[in-house]
């Protein structure tokens, strides 16, 4: 039975925004484009070759490179054409577009999946689990296990990775050298990070160890508790992603440590200080040693940085060294009239040929193939850099659907949280009190979703 979009889902998502992202499993892989067997009649063979148009719902227009990418898919699958249905970039926009197409009798086939929860709870996505076993590409693709897990709902694989964007640390080597500091080693620690940041900070010169941007606190708060052994999952979450451990003594200590980067060390300049010194956007202006950011910034840094720079992995904590990957998914709508053909596109995305093409656009590999890693190192953006070591640590996927009731949890991008980390404002209301509130309400939300 084709799944429809409840009005309540759309109205709720219209007022929500994304944080940090089916038919039942009885849908066996079938393909109207499969090679006919000897028992098929000419009529059946002709039907198998009929043209198919797949409606692809996404949050942005196609780049020139993506157009080439779709042309390659069509060349390999002449009877399948991709028709882009552009929506806004938020999950509510994507779901509204999907609902509108279905209401018009022209249901979408492929969709961006930034968060599995709103899709999964109403069975709006096809369960890809059978295809992950039968498809010749997906069954062999070396997709990071943590990325796949982040795109599951109730044991079903409702999406596969569409984009893999590791978070790394951009390093101004010239600023380090000015203060007599060598480039840190790949196995450096968070304490090394803190000490170097203090050493290179010179407010009179408008120079600081750590950039002001939000990733410098948000990502640190995500990975530090795992690196220190405070929590098994990102953002202080327990092993089942049910409760926050931020309020524990170890959790409070980790938050204090992050806050002290500005409050005690003053390695992060306040916004007023940065603007007065002309050091806002300080990393590109050569005024900041470290900036935690996504690899999508690589091209911008390569084009605009006028100093010697390189990259490093996120540092090691008291127990381990982990990385952070901002991944988003892509799935097949349960209402699709052409599910097998839609899966063909997902399969195509994970071929080495397709990934190499998208890497020319600055994208990172979706699979862990050595051939792709070497190709990444040879791209103009990353040639001669430490990029492979920077993404070579244990990577943790952004919890795109793991934190049920994430809207009730700490809002890491909010002004209150950012001011607590970077302006020395009070932490309790925006961090500890909010985490306690989340712990009280999430269990009911999980029960409502049938997860308890």
């Amino acid at each position: 039975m084709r799944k429809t979009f409840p009005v309540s889902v759309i109205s709720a998502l219209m007022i929500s925004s994304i944080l940090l992202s089916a038919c039942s499993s009885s849908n066996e892989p079938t393909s109207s484009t499969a090679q006919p067997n000897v028992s098929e009649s000419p009529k059946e063979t002709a039907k198998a070759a009929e043209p198919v148009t797949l409606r692809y719902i996404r949050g942005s227009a196609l780049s020139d490179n993506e157009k080439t990418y779709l042309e390659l898919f069509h060349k390999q699958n002449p009877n399948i054409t991709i028709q882009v249905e552009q929506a806004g970039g938020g999950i509510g926009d994507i779901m509204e577009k999907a609902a509108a197409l279905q209401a018009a009798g022209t249901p979408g086939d492929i969709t961006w999946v930034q968060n599995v929860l709103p899709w999964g709870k109403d069975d709006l996505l096809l369960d890809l689990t059978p295809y992950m076993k039968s498809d010749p590409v997906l069954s062999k693709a070396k997709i990071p296990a943590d990325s796949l897990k982040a795109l599951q709902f109730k044991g079903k694989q409702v999406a596969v990775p569409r984009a893999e964007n590791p978070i790394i640390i951009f390093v101004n080597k010239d600023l380090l050298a000015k203060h007599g500091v060598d480039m840190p080693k790949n196995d450096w620690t968070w304490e090394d990070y803190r000490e170097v940041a203090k050493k290179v900070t010179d407010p009179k010169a408008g120079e600081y160890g750590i950039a002001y941007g939000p990733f410098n606190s948000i990502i640190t708060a995500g990975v530090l508790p795992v690196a220190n052994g405070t929590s098994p999952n990102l953002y202080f979450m327990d092993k089942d992603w049910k409760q926050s451990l931020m309020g524990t003594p170890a959790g409070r200590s980790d938050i204090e440590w992050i806050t002290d980067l500005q409050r005690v060390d003053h390695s992060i300049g306040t916004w007023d200080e940065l603007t007065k010194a002309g050091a806002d956007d300080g990393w590109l202006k050569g005024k900041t040693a470290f900036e935690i950011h996504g690899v999508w910034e690589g091209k911008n840094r390569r084009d605009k940085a006028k100093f010697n720079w390189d990259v490093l992995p996120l540092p090691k904590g008291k127990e381990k060294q982990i990385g952070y990957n901002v991944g988003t998914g892509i799935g097949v709508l349960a209402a699709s009239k052409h599910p097998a053909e839609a899966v063909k596109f997902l399969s195509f995305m994970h071929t080495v040929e397709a990934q190499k093409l998208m890497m020319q656009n600055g994208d990172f590999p979706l699979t862990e193939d050595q051939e792709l890693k070497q190709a990444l190192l040879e791209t103009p953006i990353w040639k001669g850099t430490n990029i492979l070591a920077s993404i070579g640590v244990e990577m943790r996927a952004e919890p795109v659907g793991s934190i049920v009731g994430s809207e009730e949890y700490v809002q890491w991008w909010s002004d209150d949280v950012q001011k607590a980390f970077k302006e020395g404002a009070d932490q309790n209301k925006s961090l500890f009190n909010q985490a306690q509130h989340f712990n009280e309400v999430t269990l009911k939300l999980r029960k409502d979703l049938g997860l308890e």
Side-chain angles (χ1 to χ4, degrees):
M1 182 175 67
R2 215 170 270 148
K3 297 295 181 179
T4 59
F5 288 76
V7 174
S8 59
V9 169
I10 301 305
S11 62
L13 288 165
M14 285 289 287
I15 61 172
S16 65
S17 61
I18 186 171
L19 265 183
L20 330 152
S21 125
C23 290
S24 69
S25 57
S26 62
N27 285 291
E28 294 298 325
T30 58
S31 175
S32 62
T33 58
Q35 292 295 320
N37 61 41
V38 293
S39 65
E40 285 181 316
S41 67
K43 182 178 180 181
E44 289 172 326
T45 303
K47 182 178 180 181
E50 288 180 358
V52 169
T53 296
L54 299 177
R55 291 179 171 83
Y56 176 15
I57 305 168
R58 48 181 285 147
S60 67
L62 295 171
S63 67
D64 289 340
N65 206 18
E66 286 176 308
K67 292 176 183 177
T68 303
Y69 176 77
L70 293 187
E71 289 169 3
L72 175 61
F73 174 73
H74 182 64
K75 182 178 180 181
Q76 295 180 359
N77 301 274
N79 70 311
I80 306 176
T81 300
I82 302 290
Q83 178 176 311
V84 171
E85 301 284 353
Q86 187 177 344
I91 188 170
D93 301 315
I94 299 289
M95 295 192 77
E96 182 187 15
K97 185 71 172 180
L101 287 172
Q102 185 167 321
T106 55
D109 301 284
I110 304 165
T111 183
W112 282 10
V113 181
Q114 302 106 316
N115 187 328
V116 300
L117 290 177
W119 298 97
K121 76 185 189 70
D122 290 308
D123 293 325
L124 298 175
L125 295 173
L126 183 71
D127 180 10
L128 300 174
T129 304
Y131 296 95
M132 301 303 292
K133 299 176 182 177
S134 65
D135 182 85
V137 174
L138 294 176
S139 62
K140 297 177 181 178
K142 299 176 182 177
I143 303 173
D146 210 47
S147 297
L148 281 176
K149 186 176 180 181
L151 295 168
Q152 294 173 358
F153 183 81
K154 293 185 178 180
K156 297 179 181 180
Q157 192 70 52
V158 295
V160 291
R162 176 186 67 84
E164 296 279 292
N165 290 294
I167 300 291
I168 57 179
I169 297 186
F170 290 88
V171 184
N172 182 335
K173 295 178 69 174
D174 286 349
L175 187 57
L176 294 186
K178 177 182 176 180
H179 293 272
V181 178
D182 294 332
M183 177 76 168
K185 304 296 184 182
N186 292 323
D187 61 351
W188 66 325
T189 67
W190 281 106
E191 289 301 331
D192 295 334
Y193 169 83
R194 182 173 182 176
E195 290 305 310
V196 173
K198 285 194 291 185
K199 189 169 184 178
V200 303
T201 294
D202 182 1
K204 292 182 180 179
E207 296 172 351
Y208 292 90
I210 302 168
Y212 189 87
F215 285 103
N216 295 281
S217 53
I218 294 172
I219 300 302
T220 306
V223 303
L224 189 65
V226 180
N228 281 345
T230 301
S231 66
N233 283 314
L234 299 175
Y235 295 106
F236 299 91
M237 295 300 294
D238 68 6
K239 65 181 180 65
D240 298 317
W241 295 94
K242 292 182 179 181
Q243 294 280 279
S244 171
L245 303 177
M246 189 187 299
T248 64
R252 296 187 73 92
S253 177
D254 287 343
I255 289 292
E256 294 287 347
W257 188 93
I258 300 169
T259 307
D260 285 348
L261 296 173
Q262 193 282 332
R263 183 177 58 187
V264 175
D265 302 347
H266 204 55
S267 297
I268 305 173
T270 66
W271 189 246
D272 284 345
E273 290 168 335
L274 293 173
T275 51
K276 286 177 182 177
D280 50 308
D281 197 13
W283 196 90
L284 275 174
K285 291 184 178 179
K287 296 288 189 179
T288 306
F290 300 134
E291 178 157 33
I292 299 176
H293 216 302
V295 294
W296 59 84
E297 266 292 301
K299 186 177 188 305
N300 187 44
R301 305 299 164 101
R302 177 65 76 184
D303 292 343
K304 295 181 180 179
K306 307 301 181 184
F307 49 84
N308 188 22
W309 64 274
D310 208 336
V311 294
L312 281 168
L314 298 175
K316 181 181 179 180
K318 297 173 183 177
E319 290 198 2
K320 63 172 65 178
Q321 186 173 16
I322 68 163
Y324 186 110
N325 177 48
V326 181
T328 56
I330 186 168
V332 176
L333 287 161
S336 170
K337 297 178 181 178
H338 312 288
E341 287 80 5
V343 172
K344 277 183 176 289
F345 180 68
L346 272 57
S347 177
F348 164 78
M349 290 176 61
H350 290 80
T351 63
V352 169
E353 182 181 17
Q355 291 181 76
K356 281 187 174 180
L357 179 58
M358 291 309 295
M359 284 164 64
Q360 297 173 22
N361 197 45
D363 291 0
F364 264 58
L366 299 175
T367 59
E368 297 176 320
D369 293 270
Q370 190 59 43
E371 181 181 352
L372 293 173
K373 291 180 180 179
Q374 187 59 38
L376 177 67
L377 193 59
E378 294 170 358
T379 62
I381 296 173
W382 302 109
K383 193 175 183 65
T385 70
N386 190 42
I387 188 61
L388 290 188
S390 298
I391 62 173
V393 298
E394 176 191 340
M395 300 302 292
R396 295 295 186 96
E398 185 176 43
V400 292
S402 301
I403 304 178
V404 176
S406 57
E407 68 279 1
E408 300 290 337
Y409 195 37
V410 173
Q411 301 303 298
W412 300 100
W413 294 89
S414 71
D415 286 344
D416 287 343
V417 170
Q418 292 303 299
K419 286 177 179 176
F421 283 131
K422 299 182 297 191
E423 301 284 342
D426 177 64
Q427 311 163 28
N428 286 301
K429 181 178 179 181
S430 60
L431 292 165
F432 300 116
N433 292 353
Q434 194 62 33
Q436 180 59 37
H437 165 74
F438 164 81
N439 282 347
E440 294 169 359
V441 301
T442 185
L443 296 180
K444 181 181 183 303
L445 295 173
R446 292 180 64 86
K447 186 175 181 180
D448 291 344
L449 283 172
L451 296 173
E452 293 295 332

